[in-house]
Amino acid sequence: MNNPENKRYKCQIVQDAMIMHEMSHVSDFNRMSPMICKKFEGKQSATLAFTYATEQIQSELRAFNKQRDALNRAENTSCLSDECRIEVDEWLNFISNQAIPNVLNGTYGR
């Protein structure tokens, strides 16, 4: 996953939010094509992709919004260590000021 400075994050809340982001995409694939995993039975891994750019944009926006909501909830309701608060803030800044604007203008992931 594209993340700020591609560094390893130690804060469990940040890691959980990253997983939530990716699982949001899995949910989108399953919703759009419920039998998609059947196609890959017996294979160790598979790469999935959206058919249309609008599907990818919508999925990224959903995933980043879920991730941002989880981080905001954690920031407002958890006792975070200073290190964890820094990681949460880095991600909130990245999502709001880079990721979502880049998704909307078509430059995310490029």
Side-chain angles (χ1 to χ4, degrees):
M1 175 173 182
N2 189 5
N3 64 63
E5 301 175 24
N6 290 317
K7 65 183 182 182
R8 293 176 189 250
Y9 288 91
K10 296 180 177 123
C11 178
Q12 190 63 49
I13 291 167
V14 171
Q15 293 173 4
D16 290 347
M18 288 180 194
I19 292 168
M20 178 183 291
H21 176 106
E22 297 307 328
M23 292 309 295
S24 177
H25 293 309
V26 171
S27 293
D28 286 342
F29 281 121
N30 284 329
R31 182 178 44 77
M32 288 186 269
S33 183
M35 300 301 290
I36 198 161
C37 290
K38 271 284 198 220
K39 181 174 157 182
F40 300 106
E41 261 183 24
K43 297 182 177 152
Q44 287 191 337
S45 66
T47 301
L48 303 176
F50 292 100
T51 304
Y52 304 103
T54 54
E55 293 172 343
Q56 182 176 0
I57 290 167
Q58 291 168 354
S59 184
E60 286 297 349
L61 291 174
R62 269 190 296 278
F64 277 123
N65 281 320
K66 287 179 183 180
Q67 188 177 11
R68 182 173 57 185
D69 290 347
L71 293 170
N72 277 323
R73 273 192 310 277
E75 188 172 57
N76 294 328
T77 62
S78 301
C79 297
L80 300 176
S81 68
D82 291 342
E83 294 82 10
C84 196
R85 187 167 301 283
I86 289 169
E87 290 183 14
V88 168
D89 288 343
E90 284 177 356
W91 266 98
L92 287 170
N93 179 56
F94 169 74
I95 291 167
S96 295
N97 297 313
Q98 287 183 285
I100 289 176
N102 288 347
V103 169
L104 291 171
N105 71 25
T107 60
Y108 179 72
R110 291 183 170 72

